Amino acid sequence: MAGNDENRSGGSGGPATSVIAKVKPKTKRPNLYRVLILNDDYTPMEFVVHVLEKFFQKDIEAATKIMLHVHHHGIGECGVFTYEIAETKVTQVMDFARKHQHPLQCVMEKK
């Protein structure tokens, strides 16, 4: 009997099958960081408004509101970003302030 080779080898005669389970990767949201401007007695208010417009895309009203909050409360939030973006914004603001000889301080903190 030439046609029974499959049966002698113990095979079922059908193709080999296997089960593939789909596993969804568990991705977590990146940590967010607040970028904050600190008040000082030397940086002009107009400069702070300009910084908020230039680096945080705030319109004149939003920038003025944040600047006044910084002026009255000592600190104000410019925005919330992922780590790399927050770090870049802080560096840009600090470099820009130094270039214009202002002691403006910009920091980031984990939200």
Side-chain angles (χ1 to χ4, degrees):
M1 293 179 113
N4 283 339
D5 287 342
E6 290 177 14
N7 288 341
R8 277 186 247 153
S9 64
S12 63
T17 58
S18 61
V19 177
I20 298 173
K22 286 189 176 180
V23 178
K24 278 192 172 183
K26 293 182 181 177
T27 55
K28 64 175 189 169
R29 291 185 175 268
N31 292 324
L32 295 177
Y33 292 80
R34 299 169 67 206
V35 175
L36 307 165
I37 286 185
L38 308 178
N39 190 38
D40 64 71
D41 294 331
Y42 304 101
T43 305
M45 292 179 176
E46 296 79 17
F47 184 79
V48 175
V49 170
H50 180 65
V51 164
L52 291 164
E53 291 173 311
K54 180 177 178 70
F55 297 105
F56 299 96
Q57 291 70 48
K58 302 294 183 189
D59 60 33
I60 188 75
E61 284 184 40
T64 302
K65 186 175 178 181
I66 293 168
M67 177 276 297
L68 287 172
H69 188 274
V70 171
H71 181 68
H72 293 296
H73 298 96
I75 193 167
E77 182 178 284
C78 306
V80 178
F81 309 94
T82 59
Y83 180 84
E84 291 80 8
I85 294 172
E87 186 178 45
T88 300
K89 299 261 186 206
V90 168
T91 301
Q92 288 173 329
V93 170
M94 296 293 286
D95 290 348
F96 190 70
R98 296 304 157 264
K99 181 179 171 188
H100 290 86
Q101 300 180 343
H102 294 301
L104 184 66
Q105 293 292 308
C106 185
V107 297
M108 59 190 262
E109 74 175 18
K110 195 170 184 179
K111 186 166 171 134

